[in-house]
Amino acid sequence: AQTVTQSQPEMSVQEAETVTLSCTYDTSESDYYLFWYKQPPSRQMILVIRQEAYKQQNATENRFSVNFQKAAKSFSLKISDSQLGDAAMYFCAYRGKGGNQFYFGTGTSLTVIP
Amino acid sequence: DSGVTQTPKHLITATGQRVTLRCSPRSGDLSVYWYQQSLDQGLQFLIHYYNGEERAKGNILERFSAQQFPDLHSELNLSSLELGDSALYFCASSGGGIDSNEQFFGPGTRLTVL
């Protein structure tokens, strides 16, 4: 079974600074999708960014970007110009192409310090 | 607003009781996923339905069951409730088209078992 590992239970960043959240995964598939979800205190799960494994170019959404290293099975999230509203739990997720299940990591709690 | 609705938002019940959680997916989405999130925990995948058929099972207890109806809404039934079943239960949907490889989460149902 696929596994997703987030080795940083907690991270903190100063407002306006940059922070990188780590995620690694284990799979034998060659084509798959990776996601980062944000869960603020409201507990709503919000999709931040997604990456398709066959695309070499790293995905970017405004201040959020990923560093996708397929060979290393690494998928980190970089948040630039951190804002107070970025404080949340962040989950990394994996889905195989055509797969029936999404696999989530255990999450990283991000604190933004004013 | 993700377009996924869940009812009720909150549910308080006693041990040994049975409850039903309801989920309506986004219009046109054929897949429904159920997750359990206990306090300060990650997302535990429970079950996946696609167009009325069960597609994958995760760590779902035998006391729990689910179904997806012809109108594509889904229900998660939890019976013989225990204190440890207190959690946030999420439903997510995905479907065909350009967005088919990402999940859209509902706001969750917070279940408290006393």
Side-chain angles (χ1 to χ4, degrees):
Chain A
Q2 285 76 6
T3 58
V4 178
T5 302
Q6 293 179 250
S7 58
Q8 306 155 314
E10 297 178 348
M11 292 281 285
S12 62
V13 62
Q14 292 281 348
E15 195 175 2
E17 297 296 309
T18 295
V19 64
T20 298
L21 309 183
S22 300
C23 173
T24 59
Y25 56 94
D26 185 24
T27 184
S28 58
E29 297 175 300
S30 59
D31 203 2
Y32 47 86
Y33 302 88
L34 296 163
F35 309 87
W36 279 98
Y37 281 88
K38 170 185 178 181
Q39 187 179 40
S42 67
R43 306 301 292 272
Q44 174 73 50
M45 292 288 288
I46 303 165
L47 178 67
V48 174
I49 199 166
R50 70 173 178 178
Q51 174 80 41
E52 296 165 52
Y54 69 87
K55 290 186 177 179
Q56 293 186 342
Q57 185 174 7
N58 289 324
T60 299
E61 289 287 343
N62 301 314
R63 298 182 295 106
F64 298 86
S65 62
V66 299
N67 183 4
F68 173 49
Q69 302 289 328
K70 191 173 184 179
K73 297 179 182 176
S74 171
F75 182 60
S76 60
L77 174 70
K78 185 171 82 170
I79 305 174
S80 303
D81 185 25
S82 296
Q83 301 175 359
L84 295 178
D86 295 333
M89 183 72 83
Y90 288 82
F91 291 97
C92 177
Y94 167 102
R95 179 187 180 182
K97 187 174 182 180
N100 289 315
Q101 187 172 340
F102 285 69
Y103 297 86
F104 283 81
T106 51
T108 295
S109 177
L110 178 66
T111 299
V112 180
I113 303 166
Chain B
D1 185 358
S2 67
V4 179
T5 61
Q6 288 187 249
T7 56
K9 287 187 178 180
H10 301 278
L11 195 51
I12 301 174
T13 188
T15 55
Q17 296 298 305
R18 172 189 171 96
V19 298
T20 297
L21 313 183
R22 182 187 170 102
C23 168
S24 293
R26 291 190 321 160
S27 177
D29 282 358
L30 300 178
S31 277
V32 170
Y33 302 79
W34 285 98
Y35 294 90
Q36 178 192 58
Q37 186 179 34
S38 301
L39 187 64
D40 295 330
Q41 298 290 314
L43 289 162
Q44 296 295 319
F45 168 70
L46 296 178
I47 199 163
H48 169 215
Y49 278 86
Y50 177 82
N51 202 21
E53 294 186 1
E54 181 185 305
R55 284 295 181 93
K57 259 186 178 179
N59 298 320
I60 187 166
L61 299 172
E62 287 190 7
R63 300 183 286 109
F64 296 0
S65 65
Q67 54 183 329
Q68 187 179 28
F69 295 86
D71 67 352
L72 301 177
H73 91 271
S74 177
E75 293 181 357
L76 178 67
N77 300 296
L78 314 177
S79 61
S80 302
L81 286 168
E82 302 175 359
L83 295 177
D85 297 328
S86 295
L88 190 56
Y89 291 85
F90 283 107
C91 163
S93 76
S94 67
I98 194 171
D99 292 331
S100 64
N101 292 304
E102 59 190 74
Q103 292 182 318
F104 297 87
F105 282 81
T109 292
R110 181 171 296 281
L111 173 66
T112 302
V113 182
L114 301 176

